[in-house]
Structure formats: structure tokens, C-alpha cells
């Protein structure tokens, strides 16, 4: 009997319920020592405390918690339409209906930034040293300098007072008497990482050119101008090996009728606004055609645009602001070769007073240009935007 009794839990050996207070305390202490009962008691106390806090601080008539801001606190909101304050403050105002297009994706290019672990090694140096914007350029479009184009996009026009986009959207420049060198970095808008690197790490005097097929093109141009860069729009033109080398569906073809060339041009130009001129993408055959180039320059003159080419149209003038590159800096994609071409641009500027180069948005190009530009002042050369080199 003793052996059976000894196998029972300890609390079963206590006296009956009629025992005195000391026995009751002993039973309570034994119960508290049980881990399951102790955890349940702690949980009950926590819930009880939480309920008291809700009763003291909450609104018994309210549902979910509500955050309230005064209208004056919201006054700094940017881009709010006229009358927003009155609409919010109106007595009994109802929620505005959702209209078609209000949930469209934004054209602003807020692409996810790759981490150091997932980014290619060539990109890690580009984000290391962003430069100051040097003064943001005015946001486009400016009044009087655009009109609806194909599909509703903005086409550049000459303002009633004679202002042109070539003048209005160029980066302001004041020569200081030193030789000046300009550089255009192109192919932007197609790769978010290299586009951001060029916009955010290159000096604002560097001119940037964007592909017309880029997604979110207007957002990229706005971002570039907010960092002080003037902008060119790339125009795909027929190369000698077309169609094996095809720059896209809106390529300007040398043999096309003038109205077809103008139709394609207007589609390209209406993709965005804020650029001061066009630049060629390829185009060895188109640029060599007198009739094709006559149509092209006439259309640009009517729109108040400049034309900056990569050197392939160096012998062509025209009644529009013009500049031709002296050399490409990254035909050889080695850091040493690019540095050599950049130093050659300096030599050309010293010999002739100014020079213009072009490059592509390769990571190595962006890195080399950034380092090279940082030492120009010490070498007695002034960095200038491409628009400062352009002349009629």
C-alpha cells in the first residue's frame, strides 16, 4: 500500500478541505509551483493590464485607432491641386471618386537599388561618391515651349516671344577665359543602375543623352535636370548596315519621304520634354544623305532645337545650334584607354580653345570621367556643357 501511495503527486497527500489556514497556504504554494498554472496566471495578468489601458486611453465610441493631422501640417505637401485644402476642410465632404488613370504607374524611375552583395563589382565604385548637384535646372515644361504632339505627348515649339528650347533648357554657362572641354554621356535610361550612377555621380556640367525608348523617360530627364545636367534626346538613324543593325521602329531612314521622316521625328520628340536638342544614335547612312539631312535640320529649326552629333556629321552646318564631337572616349573599354582619350580632349581644348567628346554609360566610363573631371580645374581647363560648344 505504501508503494502505491508513494507514486501519487505530492499535493494529493495533503489533508482534506476542512484543514486549517496553514494547510491552505501550503496547497496554494504547491499549485503555484506548477509551471502550467504559473504561465496561465501570468497571461491572465497581462490581458487584464492591457484591458485597463484600453479603457483608460481609448475612445469607447471609436473603432480602429485614428491618426489626425491638422491641415496646416499638410500645407507643405508638394504637387497638391488647387482647392485641396477647401475640399478637405469642407463640412461633410465625401471621398472623391476614383477616376480612370489615377492608379497608373508613376513615370518616376524609383528603381530598386541593388545591394553590395548582389551588385556587379564594376558598379560598387560608382555609388561611392555622389557629387553636389551644382544647382538644379528649372523643371520642364516651361510655359509656351511645348504643344500637344502624337498621342498627347509634348512637342517642342518656339515661344511667342521667340524663346527656343535650345536656349531655355540648356545649362547656363559663364566662360572664364580658360580652354573649355565638354562631354556627352549617352545611352541613358535603358539601365537603371548606370543611369542613376551617371546622374548622381558625374559633375552637373556633363551633358547626358537619353534613349527615346527608355521606360519612364520623363522621370529620368526630370531627375537629371534636378541634378543640374542638361539633356539631349537620342534620335535613331539609319546606319550603313541597316537592317542587320536596326536601331528600332522609329529609325529615320535616308530614303523615306520627308513627311515620313517628320512623322517619326515628331513621335520621338513627343516622348518627353526638357531636352535642349537632339543627338544621333548611329546614322552613318542617314547623316550622309543631303535630302534626308535637309528635312531633319528644317524640322529642328522649326522646333527651336539644337543638334549635337558624335562626329559623324562634323562637315555639316545648318541654321540651328550645332556641335560635333572631336572623339569618342570609350571605343576601347579599358580604364587606361579612356583616360588617354580624356587627356587628348584636354589637349584639343588647349590647342583650339574648346573640344567636345562623347562616351557611353558603361560603368568604367562613368568612373573614369568622374575621376578625370575632378582634376580639370587644377590643370587649367574649364568643364562646360555641350550647349556652350554649340553654335550656328
Amino acid at each position: 500500500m505504501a508503494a502505491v501511495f508513494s507514486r501519487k503527486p505530492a499535493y494529493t497527500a495533503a489533508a482534506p478541505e476542512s484543514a486549517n489556514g496553514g494547510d491552505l497556504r501550503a496547497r496554494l504554494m504547491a499549485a503555484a509551483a506548477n509551471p502550467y498554472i504559473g504561465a496561465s496566471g501570468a497571461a491572465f495578468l497581462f490581458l487584464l493590464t492591457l484591458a485597463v489601458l484600453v479603457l483608460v486611453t481609448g475612445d469607447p465610441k471609436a473603432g480602429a485607432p485614428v491618426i489626425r493631422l491638422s491641415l496646416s501640417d499638410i500645407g507643405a505637401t508638394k504637387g497638391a491641386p488647387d482647392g485641396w485644402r477647401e475640399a478637405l476642410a469642407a463640412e461633410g465632404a465625401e471621398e472623391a471618386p476614383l477616376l480612370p488613370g489615377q492608379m497608373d504607374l508613376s513615370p518616376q524611375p524609383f528603381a530598386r537599388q541593388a545591394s553590395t552583395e548582389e551588385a556587379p563589382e564594376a558598379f560598387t565604385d560608382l555609388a561611392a561618391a555622389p557629387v553636389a548637384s551644382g544647382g538644379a535646372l528649372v523643371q520642364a515644361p516651361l510655359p509656351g515651349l511645348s504643344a500637344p504632339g502624337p498621342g498627347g505627348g509634348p512637342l517642342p515649339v518656339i515661344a511667342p516671344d521667340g524663346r527656343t528650347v535650345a536656349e531655355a533648357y540648356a545649362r547656363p554657362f559663364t566662360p572664364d577665359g580658360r580652354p573649355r572641354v565638354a562631354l556627352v554621356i549617352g545611352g541613358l535610361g535603358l539601365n537603371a543602375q548606370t543611369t542613376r550612377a551617371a546622374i548622381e555621380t558625374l559633375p552637373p556640367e556633363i551633358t547626358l543623352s537619353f534613349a527615346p525608348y527608355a521606360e519612364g523617360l520623363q522621370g529620368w530627364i526630370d531627375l537629371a535636370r534636378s541634378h543640374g545636367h542638361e539633356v539631349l534626346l537620342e534620335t535613331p538613324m539609319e546606319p550603313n548596315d541597316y537592317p542587320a543593325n536596326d536601331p528600332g521602329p522609329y529609325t529615320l531612314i535616308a530614303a523615306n519621304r520627308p513627311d515620313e521622316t517628320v512623322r517619326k521625328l515628331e513621335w520621338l520628340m513627343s516622348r518627353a520634354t526638357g531636352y535642349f536638342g537632339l543627338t544621333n544614335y548611329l546614322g552613318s547612312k542617314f547623316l550622309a544623305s543631303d535630302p534626308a539631312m535637309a528635312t531633319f535640320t528644317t524640322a529642328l529649326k522649326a522646333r527651336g532645337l539644337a543638334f549635337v552629333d558624335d562626329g559623324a556629321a562634323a562637315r555639316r552646318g545648318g541654321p540651328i545650334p550645332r556641335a560635333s564631337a572631336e572623339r569618342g572616349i570609350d571605343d576601347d573599354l579599358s580604364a587606361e584607354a579612356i583616360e588617354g582619350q580624356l587627356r587628348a580632349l584636354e589637349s584639343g581644348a588647349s590647342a583650339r580653345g574648346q573640344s567636345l567628346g562623347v562616351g557611353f554609360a558603361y560603368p568604367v566610363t562613368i568612373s573614369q570621367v568622374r575621376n578625370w573631371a575632378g582634376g580639370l580645374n587644377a590643370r587649367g581647363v574649364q568643364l562646360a556643357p555641350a550647349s556652350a560648344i554649340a553654335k550656328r
Side-chain angles (χ1 to χ4, degrees):
M1 183 71 177
V4 173
F5 202 75
S6 66
R7 294 174 62 89
K8 291 184 177 182
Y11 68 86
T12 59
E17 291 183 0
S18 59
N20 59 25
D23 292 337
L24 180 60
R25 283 196 301 273
R27 287 183 12 185
L28 290 174
M29 291 178 63
N34 187 305
Y36 298 103
I37 297 177
S40 300
F44 174 76
L45 288 176
F46 173 77
L47 292 174
L48 180 62
T49 303
L50 183 61
V52 171
L53 287 174
V54 171
L55 290 174
V56 172
T57 62
D59 181 355
K61 297 181 180 180
V66 176
I67 297 174
R68 294 180 174 86
L69 295 175
S70 68
L71 292 178
S72 59
D73 291 335
I74 312 174
T77 302
K78 296 182 179 179
D82 293 339
W84 67 274
R85 183 186 296 272
E86 293 77 4
L88 286 175
E91 187 72 24
E94 297 181 356
E95 182 179 359
L98 181 65
L99 301 176
Q102 288 183 340
M103 293 298 290
D104 290 346
L105 292 178
S106 167
Q108 297 295 334
F110 295 113
R112 183 180 67 85
Q113 295 299 292
S115 67
T116 304
E117 291 76 17
E118 64 183 341
E121 182 178 352
F123 287 106
T124 58
D125 182 50
L126 297 182
V131 297
S133 68
L137 302 184
V138 64
Q139 186 171 353
L142 291 173
L145 290 174
S146 63
L155 268 177
V157 297
I158 299 174
D161 61 3
R163 287 179 306 139
T164 67
V165 294
E167 299 163 340
Y169 293 142
R171 177 180 170 83
F173 176 73
T174 303
D176 60 11
R178 294 180 296 166
R180 48 189 171 176
V181 61
L183 190 62
V184 177
I185 297 298
L188 296 168
L190 300 178
N191 181 293
Q193 205 164 33
T194 53
T195 300
R196 281 193 175 275
I199 291 172
E200 296 174 358
T201 72
L202 293 179
E205 292 83 4
I206 301 292
T207 300
L208 304 180
S209 72
F210 288 82
Y213 305 126
E215 184 178 358
L217 177 59
Q218 187 62 63
W220 286 124
I221 292 178
D222 290 345
L223 186 64
R225 290 182 59 82
S226 74
H227 279 72
H229 299 280
E230 67 178 18
V231 170
L232 291 165
L233 183 67
E234 294 174 6
T235 308
M237 296 178 174
E238 181 184 11
N240 286 324
D241 55 351
Y242 181 86
N245 189 5
D246 186 356
Y250 286 87
T251 298
L252 305 187
I253 304 298
N256 275 357
R257 300 189 314 271
D259 62 321
E260 178 66 10
T261 296
V262 170
R263 183 188 69 82
K264 289 183 175 181
L265 256 180
E266 289 186 347
W267 184 90
L268 293 164
M269 291 187 292
S270 67
R271 290 280 290 129
T273 185
Y275 53 89
F276 79 94
L278 304 184
T279 186
N280 64 300
Y281 176 71
L282 302 180
S284 51
K285 186 172 183 178
F286 186 90
L287 293 169
S289 168
D290 291 339
M293 283 300 293
T295 300
F296 178 75
T297 54
T298 299
L300 264 60
K301 180 182 179 182
R303 301 271 171 205
L305 289 163
F307 179 52
V308 179
D309 71 89
D310 61 4
R315 297 182 178 275
R316 293 193 177 275
I320 56 176
R322 286 276 294 111
S324 291
E326 178 181 313
R327 64 182 62 245
I329 64 168
D330 52 7
D331 293 335
D332 183 341
L333 278 179
S334 69
E336 295 77 11
I338 293 172
E339 178 66 19
Q341 293 293 339
L342 291 169
R343 292 305 180 104
L345 278 178
E346 287 185 51
S347 300
S350 298
R352 294 179 295 279
Q354 64 181 32
S355 64
L356 170 65
V358 294
F360 193 79
Y362 299 114
V364 64
T365 301
I366 296 172
S367 179
Q368 287 302 118
V369 168
R370 187 189 68 208
N371 295 335
W372 162 80
L376 278 178
N377 280 333
R379 297 193 294 273
V381 178
Q382 185 179 15
L383 188 60
S387 61
I389 307 294
K391 59 183 180 181
R392 295 183 187 277

